[in-house]
Amino acid sequence: MEKTAVTKRLQAVGAAREFGILLALVIVVIAATVANPNFLFSSDGWRDLLLTPSILVLVAIGQAIVLITRNVDLSVGSILGLSAYLTGRLFIDIPGIPILAVFVAAIVFGGLLGLINGALVAYAKVPAMVITLGTLYAYRGINVLWTGSDRVNASDLPKDFLALGTGQVLWIPILTLIAIVVLVVIGWIMKNTRSGREFYAIGSDPAAAELYGLRVTRRLLIAFVSSGALAGLAGVLYTARYGTVNSQAGAGWELDAVGAAVIGGVAITGGVGSVWGAAIGAVLLLTINRALPILGIPDFWQRAVVGVLIIGAIVLDRVLAVRQKRKLIAAREDD
Amino acid sequence: MTTATASTAASVRTYRDYDRPLWQRLLLTREMAIIGLLVIVAVVATLSVRGFGQPITLTYLILDVTPILLIALPMTLIMITGEIDLSVASVVGLSSVLIGVLTQAGAPFELAIVVALVAGAIAGAVNGFLVTVVGLPSLAVTIGTLALYRGLAVGLLGTTAVTDFPEFWTDLAKMKLGGSNVPAVLLLFLVLLVVFVVLLHFTPFGRGIYAIGLSKTAARFSGVHVERTKLVLFVLSGTIAALAGVYYTLRFGSARGDNATGLELQVIAAVVLGGVSVFGGRGAIHGVIAGVLLIGILASALRLANVTSDVINIITGVLLVASVVSNSFLAWLRTKRRAPGGTARAKASAAG
């Protein structure tokens, strides 16, 4: 009895959509490590493996929440850029400002930008794609206007803050720890709380959710605010990690974030997937980027590999869905 | 993207439209609003921005917006069916690189153009295959092929650029008609424009496109070949994006892997501004042309007035959001005015 429960558990893990993508990640890491042990076993290699994807992981988690509600947030790259520059400006304009205050300010700022997206989507009942395409331009424009030809340099930032970007606890970089904490908290909320489950309900069938009496408007606002706030947090970490911020920080990240979520099994049609998947997708996306040159493939081909991966992931999803449907029909006929 | 509520809203709107007199149906449309705005912006720009009315400015304006105009034609049809093609700018880059690689290898230039166009058609067919046969959402598919085609382009040429093209062809891209300032490339666009207007607005195929956008199931039951129609549209989109790539390469005399990066968002912004609904079923070519020209003229005039490109970006974004939000706002106002006491219908639509 005990044993069957365990095998069932194991089977469930194996069948989970996240498992396939995790397996792909492990294969990439092993292949790259075999080709060059430094990929994993040098201290730099290990650090890069964890550090590089941490920022994209945060943005991808936010994107996953929005995608699960059957919406999309194309403005995340612009929000990241704005809050990264805000981070730099706060340190320059208010000498001695506590680092924690900067974190809070950037997260709140990102959340407000997300609130604008959410309000426009929820109240005007306009497709999120159009609204966030508009705010992608608008926020980036404001960013360039604000930054001008100016840029934030590492020398403008306090040493303690920059240490966050490179520091580590034991063998794990601090930025990675932040990403993991956020991932665990949001992953738990999405799976176990009523509000988390409602995101899925809304994405599966918006009309039914509305008829059932779910507070769709409020949930949509929360989804966009979360996405914005996470992009804001990612902006702070971006500044800590790279030290330099110009007006183009985060440009094009919206497609990486959507790509990471899609690779990780979050369906663009809503209601399906998890923030875990999106996070693993983000790690895979950036790990491939580093693994390709080591495997002897010029990194010019990176985007092509990513494209094949995205298409492969959605085709796989489709195949699994069709098979499941067939199984359900068969089960019904058996009765 | 609340598909269910949107499609009922769309059908209610269409139904109500036919209660109105003909002049209202023709003049009080989204398209006319954008055309009106376009005329106002053009007049204000000509009067207030020094140098905007000059022939040379208009020449550059046409040369600049041509790729967007070209790609917007098939994009309009695809979006009316409720799908989207985000890979177009990557196809522009890919066709540009193919021309570069073949020219470098010493192939005849005519052959290079043919190969680029065929590659575009294949790229479109791959999108169409994944959307129609495999049954995947086009937004996800074309995000994937956006990366894939761009990756092929960058992979083939790396960061190098090919700049050595036959003068005959590069001159052709910038050639002007007779003694005028009108670029010859405008003719190419006009020919395609006629083809697409006839295709969308005057053929059963075009009516099928609207039908698919309003309801796929209903369209199928009325004998529309839903899958075949979408496949044809994606192939058309890929081919025309490749054509735009040929033009882009010749105009700037440079084949690079990162050519036209991000152009897809500009095209989609213009198409949506022109009144095409991303839910499908709604839109017209004349509105889209006005949308492209509106963004183009604004950018050109503001640049001449020494306004930086960032402000142009902000204006583009706000315009896009305002144009879609204004529709909901007007609809909300209408329900309020029609039922001051708050009838059941107004309450229902306010709650919906």
Side-chain angles (χ1 to χ4, degrees), chain B residues 37 61 111-112 139 165 168 186 189 194 200-201 220 222 231 241 258 343:
Chain B
L37 192 57
L61 179 69
L111 178 73
L139 186 62
F165 297 111
F168 168 74
L186 195 63
F189 167 71
V194 170
L200 180 64
H201 296 298
R220 188 169 289 127
S222 347
L231 189 64
D258 60 358
T343 61

Side-chain angles (χ1 to χ4, degrees), chain A residues 77-129:
Chain A
S78 302
I79 296 181
L80 188 153
L82 267 174
S83 52
Y85 189 67
L86 173 76
T87 303
R89 276 267 57 105
L90 285 175
F91 281 123
I92 295 169
D93 295 340
I94 312 173
I97 185 172
I99 291 175
L100 191 65
V102 173
F103 267 85
V104 172
I107 292 170
V108 170
F109 179 63
L112 284 177
L113 295 176
L115 185 65
I116 296 176
N117 289 333
L120 287 168
V121 172
Y123 291 116
K125 303 201 185 311
V126 177
M129 210 188 80

Side-chain angles (χ1 to χ4, degrees), chain B residues 104-296:
Chain B
Q104 216 170 21
F109 199 76
E110 293 74 11
L111 178 73
I113 291 180
V114 172
V115 169
L117 293 180
V118 171
I122 294 174
V126 170
N127 286 336
F129 175 83
L130 289 168
V131 171
T132 61
V133 181
V134 189
L136 300 168
S138 55
L139 186 62
V141 166
T142 54
I143 281 178
T145 51
L146 179 154
L148 173 61
Y149 301 153
R150 181 64 71 189
L152 292 176
V154 177
L156 282 171
L157 258 189
T159 50
T160 57
V162 180
T163 51
D164 194 18
F165 297 111
E167 218 164 88
F168 168 74
W169 286 96
T170 49
D171 285 350
L172 192 67
K174 283 170 274 190
M175 189 180 84
K176 288 170 192 149
L177 286 178
S180 72
N181 276 297
V182 182
V185 67
L186 195 63
L187 283 183
L188 172 72
F189 167 71
L190 288 177
V191 169
L192 282 170
L193 176 66
V194 170
V195 170
F196 273 90
V197 167
V198 169
L199 192 65
L200 180 64
H201 296 298
F202 297 99
T203 64
F205 183 82
R207 283 194 289 281
I209 290 173
Y210 284 101
I212 295 169
L214 287 169
S215 165
K216 209 167 78 171
T217 320
R220 188 169 289 127
F221 280 125
S222 347
V224 176
H225 299 280
V226 175
E227 269 69 37
R228 201 171 68 192
T229 304
K230 285 186 182 173
L231 189 64
V232 167
L233 292 184
F234 276 104
V235 172
L236 271 178
S237 175
T239 314
I240 293 195
L243 185 66
V246 174
Y247 166 73
Y248 197 101
T249 313
L250 292 175
R251 171 165 185 222
F252 295 105
S254 164
R256 297 171 51 92
D258 60 358
N259 266 354
T261 303
L263 192 74
E264 69 279 348
L265 294 181
Q266 286 182 44
V267 173
I268 290 163
V271 170
V272 171
L273 188 63
V276 177
S277 159
V278 288
F279 291 133
R282 212 203 162 290
I285 300 259
H286 61 287
V288 171
I289 304 302
V292 178
L293 291 179
L294 180 58
I295 292 180

Side-chain angles (χ1 to χ4, degrees), chain A residues 137-138 140-150 247-248, chain B residues 49 295-317:
Chain A
Y137 282 118
R140 179 64 66 192
I142 293 168
N143 193 357
V144 183
L145 200 62
W146 188 20
T147 321
S149 53
D150 188 27
S247 62
Q248 292 306 309
Chain B
V49 179
I295 292 180
I297 286 181
L298 258 182
S300 157
L302 290 175
R303 221 176 292 137
L304 274 176
N306 280 328
V307 175
T308 46
S309 64
D310 353 316
V311 178
I312 299 170
N313 262 353
I314 299 178
I315 292 174
T316 309

Side-chain angles (χ1 to χ4, degrees), chain A residues 182-255:
Chain A
V182 169
L183 177 61
V184 169
V185 170
I186 294 185
W188 188 87
I189 292 175
M190 292 296 281
K191 193 166 159 49
N192 297 309
T193 68
R194 181 187 173 141
S195 49
R197 302 306 301 171
E198 284 184 8
F199 288 124
Y200 287 91
I202 292 167
S204 302
D205 193 336
E210 186 108 34
L211 282 175
Y212 189 70
L214 300 190
R215 293 176 179 173
V216 176
T217 306
R218 180 192 288 190
R219 290 281 165 262
L220 287 185
L221 286 178
I222 293 177
F224 278 99
V225 168
S226 313
S227 172
L230 284 166
L233 174 61
V236 185
L237 301 192
Y238 183 99
T239 312
R241 163 102 165 95
Y242 297 106
T244 46
V245 179
N246 62 15
S247 62
Q248 292 306 309
W253 278 47
E254 60 281 345
L255 290 175

